[in-house]
Amino acid sequence: MDETGNAISSYVKHNLQCDDTFRDSKKRELILTRVEKAFSFLPEDVLDLFLSGFRPLAMVIVPDTGLPLGMSTRSEGPASDRKYTVVLYPEHHEWAEDRFIGGFLRELAHVVAQRPPEDEWPHSRGDRARYKEQLECRADTMVWRWGLRHYCMAYLAATYPPHWVERIVDQIGKMLLDQD
């Protein structure tokens, strides 16, 4: 393993937390391996945000709720000192590798884009839903900009119905054009 690979492995092992029932399982090892792989695909400047500690990140595998839940990102604290947590569930080890990596890259994009805590989101239900959709699109667009579109598409295709995927891809395209 090269120097970057060792740094990623050390970072992930230090920042991935889980409860005792999941600590020594093969499922945890599979998730750990996939998380390391996702980090290894990041552009160097983005990876450095994490490895340098500039974007504080904790990754937590929480106990299974019995409901099929996706990964999520939580943020807390003021913008100048924000901390981020990516929440994973044991069930995510069952996802195909490309879907897992695509979903995890989306969560990392939320961190890089400095997703605000929910208490800073709009208050009305409709505005919150539109704001969340915008945040998700911004994260997907960032993954595309990193040159990892295929992982994003693997995640979207496995998670959403085809007509939603088409709509999301259209939004990503518009956002890419707006940023150029």
Side-chain angles (χ1 to χ4, degrees):
M1 192 178 287
D2 66 355
E3 187 176 325
T4 302
N6 287 332
I8 290 170
S9 182
S10 176
Y11 176 83
V12 171
K13 287 177 182 162
H14 181 263
N15 291 293
L16 182 67
Q17 307 159 14
C18 58
D19 68 3
D20 289 336
T21 60
F22 200 63
R23 188 165 311 278
D24 295 322
S25 74
K26 290 182 190 245
K27 295 175 187 177
R28 179 190 177 277
E29 287 303 314
L30 180 62
I31 289 175
L32 184 76
T33 300
R34 289 178 174 180
V35 166
E36 288 177 13
K37 191 170 185 179
F39 273 104
S40 74
F41 293 141
L42 294 174
E44 192 174 314
D45 58 330
V46 175
L47 178 60
D48 191 51
L49 287 173
F50 295 104
L51 297 183
S52 69
F54 192 73
R55 285 282 195 288
L57 175 66
M59 297 162 285
V60 181
I61 303 172
V62 297
D64 196 347
T65 63
L67 299 172
L69 299 170
M71 298 175 194
S72 62
T73 299
R74 293 188 216 144
S75 54
E76 60 183 328
S80 61
D81 191 30
R82 196 150 284 158
K83 293 175 179 46
Y84 302 91
T85 304
V86 173
V87 178
L88 303 138
Y89 295 91
E91 73 186 45
H92 293 145
H93 86 280
E94 297 171 3
W95 286 8
E97 183 175 276
D98 287 354
R99 178 184 182 192
F100 180 97
I101 290 173
F104 190 75
L105 288 169
R106 180 190 240 196
E107 300 311 318
L108 292 179
H110 283 305
V111 177
V112 172
Q114 299 177 301
R115 180 181 176 140
E118 287 193 35
D119 61 357
E120 294 179 16
W121 292 16
H123 295 289
S124 76
R125 284 180 67 171
D127 289 343
R128 286 179 74 78
R130 283 185 288 282
Y131 186 72
K132 181 178 183 192
E133 183 177 344
Q134 180 187 25
L135 291 175
E136 298 294 349
C137 186
R138 185 172 64 176
D140 290 330
T141 302
M142 191 171 287
V143 174
W144 281 39
R145 282 211 176 272
W146 294 339
L148 301 169
R149 174 184 183 266
H150 57 287
Y151 286 110
C152 182
M153 289 303 297
Y155 170 75
L156 293 174
T159 306
Y160 298 103
H163 66 284
W164 283 16
V165 173
E166 289 175 25
R167 183 169 172 253
I168 293 167
V169 169
D170 286 344
Q171 289 176 323
I172 292 168
K174 289 175 187 171
M175 200 169 268
L176 286 168
L177 288 173
D178 289 345
Q179 292 175 357
D180 285 337

